[in-house]
Amino acid sequence: MQRRFGALVVDWVLCLLAAGLFASPARDAWAPVAVLIVEYAVFLGLFAQTPGMYLTRIRCVDWADGGRIGLLRALLRGVLLALVVPALLMDQHRRGLHDRLTRSVMVPAKA
């Protein structure tokens, strides 16, 4: 759980910095959230980890086969994560609602 939170903090800081290139995150609260959703779609869809996940050595993979979840499921996961509530509803496998709905799971990254 600590790694997931650490990864989210790193990703959020990166999103604030990126959003600052085209909007004022203090005035335009949607900008960093939009960047976060796009970041999750691209990085999780293509690489199974965001920059924050890379630094904290975790990956987001398919629940059934351990492969990448793809762009569409990663986009949905990002949208659900932006709603915050799904992340707070964990099951016995420590999967949030956003994980269950996108059939994904967080695992340690291989060295």
Side-chain angles (χ1 to χ4, degrees):
M1 191 66 162
Q2 294 165 336
R3 285 185 187 189
R4 287 179 80 154
F5 182 72
L8 184 59
V9 169
V10 169
D11 290 333
W12 187 247
V13 169
L14 292 174
C15 290
L16 287 170
L17 294 172
L21 297 174
F22 63 89
S24 170
R27 187 185 68 234
D28 303 315
W30 61 268
V33 175
V35 172
L36 181 76
I37 292 169
V38 171
E39 176 195 14
Y40 266 65
V42 172
F43 283 96
L44 287 184
L46 299 177
F47 309 109
Q49 48 186 182
T50 63
M53 291 176 190
Y54 176 80
L55 291 174
T56 57
R57 299 177 49 199
I58 56 176
R59 300 178 73 220
C60 179
V61 297
D62 184 89
W63 173 254
D65 67 11
R68 290 189 298 254
I69 62 173
L71 293 172
L72 289 177
R73 285 170 50 199
L75 177 63
L76 176 59
R77 192 177 186 282
V79 169
L80 292 170
L81 184 64
L83 296 174
V84 180
V85 173
L88 299 176
L89 303 173
M90 297 271 185
D91 67 8
Q92 68 272 22
H93 301 288
R94 300 183 72 127
R95 294 171 64 215
L97 184 58
H98 61 301
D99 292 317
R100 292 190 306 271
L101 291 175
T102 57
R103 299 179 324 275
S104 64
V105 64
M106 299 299 296
V107 298
K110 296 175 183 168

